[in-house]
């Protein structure tokens, strides 16, 4: 909750003044702002104020978890993109020191696809670039470079995804 003038909030119920600067973005969590307001309104009733404080701490904790999961999903994405082979969930989990299940859940919640599908699609998009930028490079070499098991697996996935074989794609786009 960003106070309009970045003023200090003082606790008027005790002899001590407590100054708090608040730097939270509540656009995604408007209930946090409401809780702050309720805490200020109920400062004379310790039981109710404590209940609101506990709720506020819970909401802040949830907001922190969401932010951390978003940052983790981005880190997983960047790790996948930078890899020169097709990673497994186990390899990703080991890299980030979290469970395979957590890796899968976090990634899917932000990218709406499984890690495996994302990796395959990314590698297939990269293969289009290879096919055109390296016209003399054999299909099997492109497949191995991108981490596919073999040329057959790569060709099958490419054709299924783009509706054209890698060699036909290369011919069609190099002649244009």
């Amino acid at each position: 909750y960003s106070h309009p003038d970045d003023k200090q909030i003082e606790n008027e119920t005790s002899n001590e003044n407590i100054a708090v600067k608040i730097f939270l973005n509540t656009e995604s969590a408007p209930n946090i702002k409401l809780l702050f307001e309720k805490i200020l309104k109920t400062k004379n009733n310790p039981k109710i104020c404590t209940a609101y404080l506990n709720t506020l701490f819970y909401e802040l904790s949830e907001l922190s978890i969401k932010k951390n999961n978003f940052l983790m999903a981005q880190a997983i994405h960047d790790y996948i993109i930078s890899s020169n082979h097709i990673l497994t969930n186990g390899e990703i989990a080991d890299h980030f020191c979290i469970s395979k299940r957590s890796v899968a859940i976090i990634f899917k919640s932000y990218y709406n696809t499984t890690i495996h599908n994302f990796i395959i699609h990314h590698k297939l998009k990269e293969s289009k670039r290879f096919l055109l930028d390296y016209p003399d490079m054999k299909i099997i070499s492109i497949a191995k470079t991108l981490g596919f098991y073999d040329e057959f697996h790569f060709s099958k996935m490419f054709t299924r995804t783009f509706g054209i074989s890698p060699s036909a794609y290369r011919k069609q786009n190099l002649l244009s």
Side-chain angles (χ1 to χ4, degrees):
Y1 169 64
S2 296
H3 198 273
D5 299 319
D6 196 27
K7 294 180 181 176
Q8 295 180 347
I9 300 171
E10 295 183 5
N11 181 350
E12 299 169 3
T13 61
S14 70
N15 294 338
E16 298 177 19
N17 288 331
I18 300 172
V20 178
K21 285 190 176 184
I22 303 167
F23 298 104
L24 294 175
N25 180 352
T26 60
E27 290 176 18
S28 64
N31 47 341
I32 291 176
K33 179 181 177 181
L34 294 173
L35 286 167
F36 268 112
E37 291 168 354
K38 287 180 179 184
I39 290 166
L40 292 173
K41 287 179 183 175
T42 62
K43 62 186 174 191
N44 294 327
N45 188 333
K47 286 184 179 181
I48 293 175
C49 189
T50 299
Y52 285 135
L53 273 170
N54 287 335
T55 305
L56 174 65
F57 293 142
Y58 173 79
E59 292 291 330
L60 289 172
S61 171
E62 288 294 308
L63 195 60
S64 175
I65 289 169
K66 286 178 185 173
K67 182 178 180 182
N68 288 338
N69 283 347
F70 173 71
L71 293 174
M72 179 61 72
Q74 283 183 319
I76 292 167
H77 174 276
D78 294 346
Y79 180 60
I80 291 167
I81 297 298
S82 68
S83 174
N84 60 358
H85 72 282
I86 297 177
L87 298 165
T88 65
N89 286 12
E91 290 170 320
I92 296 167
D94 290 346
H95 179 79
F96 290 102
C97 300
I98 59 177
S99 72
K100 288 191 292 187
R101 181 168 159 71
S102 292
V103 164
I105 289 170
I106 290 169
F107 190 85
K108 188 163 187 174
S109 70
Y110 288 95
Y111 291 99
N112 295 321
T113 188
T114 65
I115 290 173
H116 180 73
N117 286 342
F118 177 81
I119 290 170
I120 296 298
H121 188 70
H122 171 70
K123 298 294 182 186
L124 288 170
K125 285 193 318 188
E126 279 290 293
S127 71
K128 283 180 161 183
R129 187 178 60 80
F130 273 81
L131 288 165
L132 300 180
D133 290 351
Y134 306 101
D136 296 331
M137 190 174 192
K138 294 183 179 189
I139 303 289
I140 190 166
S141 297
I142 293 172
K144 292 290 184 184
T145 300
L146 293 172
F148 286 92
Y149 303 116
D150 55 33
E151 181 181 1
F152 175 75
H153 179 242
F154 165 67
S155 293
K156 181 179 172 185
M157 296 301 295
F158 190 97
T159 304
R160 183 184 300 160
T161 303
F162 301 117
I164 188 171
S165 72
S167 55
Y169 175 83
R170 177 183 266 168
K171 284 178 190 172
Q172 180 181 9
N173 287 282
L174 287 177
L175 295 176
S176 309

